[in-house]
């Protein structure tokens, strides 16, 4: 499921519950900036930790990501990742490679390992 940003869709929770009632494997794609504790609590009750996941986008380490996506985004996303992983929700990270961040692939790999992503 992707949007725009799925956490702004008013019927998101209803639709997700419907998909899971049909045993459909779900991957949610998000920029990770709007995830709140109540969202994580809901996801932990609905998603299957073995098959479902949340994919979050980062574009590199903090200075690069925030240059591309806006100041403060990296910290918001990192916090969202921690909220999700603390509730045993599988998180995948995506990164669009470009001339600004290609040299940070190994650093981002280590960052993902550190956060258990």
């Amino acid at each position: 499921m992707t949007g725009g940003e799925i956490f702004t869709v008013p019927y998101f929770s209803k639709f997700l519950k419907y998909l899971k009632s049909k045993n459909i494997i779900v991957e949610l794609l998000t920029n990770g900036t709007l995830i709140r504790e109540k969202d994580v609590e809901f996801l932990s009750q609905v998603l299957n930790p073995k098959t479902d996941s949340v994919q979050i986008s980062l574009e590199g380490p903090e200075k690069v990501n925030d240059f591309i996506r806006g100041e403060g985004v990296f910290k918001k996303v990192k916090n969202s990742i921690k909220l999700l992983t603390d509730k045993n929700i599988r998180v995948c990270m995506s990164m669009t490679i470009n001339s600004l961040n290609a040299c940070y692939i190994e650093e981002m790999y280590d960052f993902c390992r550190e956060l258990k992503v």
Side-chain angles (χ1 to χ4, degrees):
M1 295 176 66
T2 187
E5 176 51 47
I6 58 170
F7 288 96
T8 64
V9 176
Y11 52 85
F12 164 70
S13 60
K14 228 180 218 183
F15 188 63
L16 181 57
K17 283 180 185 177
Y18 174 78
L19 292 175
K20 293 314 299 174
S21 76
K22 301 296 181 188
N23 293 319
I24 294 173
I25 295 171
V26 173
E27 182 175 29
L28 307 174
L29 280 64
T30 176
N31 64 26
T33 60
L34 300 178
I35 298 173
R36 298 166 299 193
E37 287 186 38
K38 72 175 195 163
D39 299 318
V40 173
E41 188 60 39
F42 167 73
L43 293 175
S44 72
Q45 294 171 11
V46 177
L47 296 180
N48 181 328
K50 293 181 181 178
T51 59
D52 301 325
S53 63
V54 176
Q55 179 180 308
I56 295 182
S57 303
L58 279 174
E59 304 306 336
E62 187 170 2
K63 65 180 180 174
V64 176
N65 184 81
D66 286 0
F67 177 78
I68 294 170
R69 292 192 171 250
E71 189 175 332
V73 169
F74 186 90
K75 285 181 180 164
K76 287 180 186 177
V77 171
K78 185 176 178 180
N79 183 60
S80 294
I81 291 170
K82 287 181 178 183
L83 288 172
L84 292 162
T85 56
D86 285 350
K87 284 290 191 174
N88 201 31
I89 297 170
R90 191 163 56 119
V91 177
C92 302
M93 202 266 302
S94 65
M95 179 175 156
T96 303
I97 305 301
N98 59 51
S99 61
L100 298 173
N101 65 11
C103 61
Y104 296 105
I105 292 172
E106 284 186 47
E107 183 176 334
M108 292 308 293
Y109 173 81
D110 293 339
F111 173 78
C112 288
R113 301 253 323 166
E114 175 187 318
L115 292 180
K116 298 178 175 86
V117 173

